Amino acid sequence: MFMSWQDFEWIDAEASREIIEGWLHPGAQNGRSFLPFAQSGAGDAWCLTPLDTHGVGVALVLHDDEASSLSHACFDDFVCAGFLQAFADLSDQLDDFSQPEALQLLRADVAQTTRFMKHELGDYLQDFCRRPLEIRPWRDGPRARVRQVASLISQDELAAELDRLPAVDLSFPVVARWEVRSVEEGGARPGPAPEPAKIDWRTLAADPLQKMAAIRACQSEHDCSLGQAKAMVDQYIGGSVNAQA
């Protein structure tokens, strides 16, 4: 899931444990608990964290800043915001895929994810996927030049939809990674977690909804570019179809 998002990479349980032990454990972060589940290209950590009142929110903990804040009051809001961003700018996907392919991957990503969401939220996201892909102006910042991007919604509509999500006002200090004393001091380090089982990319390619995951897995296995991995997956899928025929 979330293969269509920009600057988002899932991490496994072992990587999450290492981040907690070396940086985001409660003993170093003023008692606040974090469960990292993904990271940005800059090394910032997406984390689940308990709210002061109730529930669990999502925070982007910046690795080189003294403070961070809660980005969303719940995981569903985080998912909605992430897909709205993807709807507004498909530039990252178009670096390696044609417009029809990028749109197909985005729709498959939404279909896969909304299976685990409430029906009204799933329908809300699915409605955007029925729109045609259009070229619209996009500005990365107030002083940035306008560029043209392929999208399902405009930048103004993105801002309006994000404003509909519940407002969150919770900031907290974060002790920098290099200032955190290792939890190994005064205690034994737990043994390593077992390696998670990896699914072969050919198995993933058999499911149309898992095509992007198959491409990523193929890229990792062969240490090649995303475009080369896509070509290998397409060739494998084409060969399988011909064999069945």
Side-chain angles (χ1 to χ4, degrees):
M1 296 187 290
F2 310 158
M3 288 290 184
S4 58
W5 293 15
Q6 296 186 26
D7 199 25
F8 179 92
E9 181 180 353
W10 289 104
I11 58 175
D12 60 19
E14 175 64 13
S16 179
R17 183 174 69 88
E18 290 177 355
I19 293 174
I20 293 172
E21 290 185 353
W23 178 28
L24 295 180
H25 56 88
Q29 301 300 337
N30 303 300
R32 178 170 288 278
S33 300
F34 296 96
L35 178 59
F37 61 87
Q39 62 185 8
S40 70
D44 304 322
W46 285 107
C47 303
L48 299 176
T49 184
L51 302 181
D52 290 344
T53 52
H54 62 278
V56 176
V58 179
L60 178 62
V61 184
L62 308 177
H63 83 289
D64 58 355
D65 204 324
E66 295 180 351
S68 289
S69 60
L70 197 73
S71 61
H72 301 286
C74 67
F75 195 76
D76 278 352
D77 289 350
F78 164 74
V79 173
C80 285
F83 275 120
L84 287 170
Q85 294 280 356
F87 296 154
D89 184 3
L90 276 73
S91 299
D92 189 54
Q93 296 296 331
L94 292 177
D95 288 340
D96 297 288
F97 302 101
S98 66
Q99 287 191 14
E101 290 172 331
L103 182 57
Q104 180 184 9
L105 290 171
L106 176 58
R107 288 171 173 169
D109 199 2
V110 172
Q112 176 77 355
T113 303
T114 52
R115 293 166 53 200
F116 306 99
M117 303 179 72
K118 295 179 181 178
H119 289 301
E120 57 269 25
L121 288 178
D123 292 342
Y124 167 74
L125 293 176
Q126 293 277 12
D127 283 344
F128 289 107
C129 291
R130 299 185 182 97
R131 299 187 181 189
L133 199 62
E134 297 181 12
I135 303 299
R136 295 181 174 89
W138 178 273
R139 190 187 296 272
D140 294 303
R143 298 183 179 180
R145 296 178 60 183
V146 174
R147 58 188 177 94
Q148 301 297 316
V149 301
S151 65
L152 299 177
I153 61 176
S154 68
Q155 191 167 17
D156 288 341
E157 188 175 3
L158 168 64
E161 293 298 327
L162 290 177
D163 283 343
R164 295 177 58 185
L165 298 177
V168 178
D169 183 19
L170 176 62
S171 59
F172 44 84
V174 175
V175 179
R177 188 192 300 263
W178 53 87
E179 295 179 357
V180 175
R181 293 191 343 182
S182 172
V183 293
E184 295 180 40
E185 298 176 13
R189 180 185 178 89
E195 279 289 325
K198 293 184 178 180
I199 303 177
D200 186 78
W201 62 266
R202 298 167 187 82
T203 302
L204 294 170
D207 181 356
L209 293 179
Q210 296 286 349
K211 183 176 180 180
M212 191 61 194
I215 293 171
R216 295 289 190 186
C218 180
Q219 180 187 22
S220 176
E221 178 180 328
H222 295 282
D223 192 23
C224 59
S225 69
L226 198 62
Q228 291 172 325
K230 175 185 175 297
M232 294 175 64
V233 171
D234 286 341
Q235 182 179 11
Y236 175 78
I237 293 175
S240 298
V241 172
N242 293 334
Q244 293 174 2

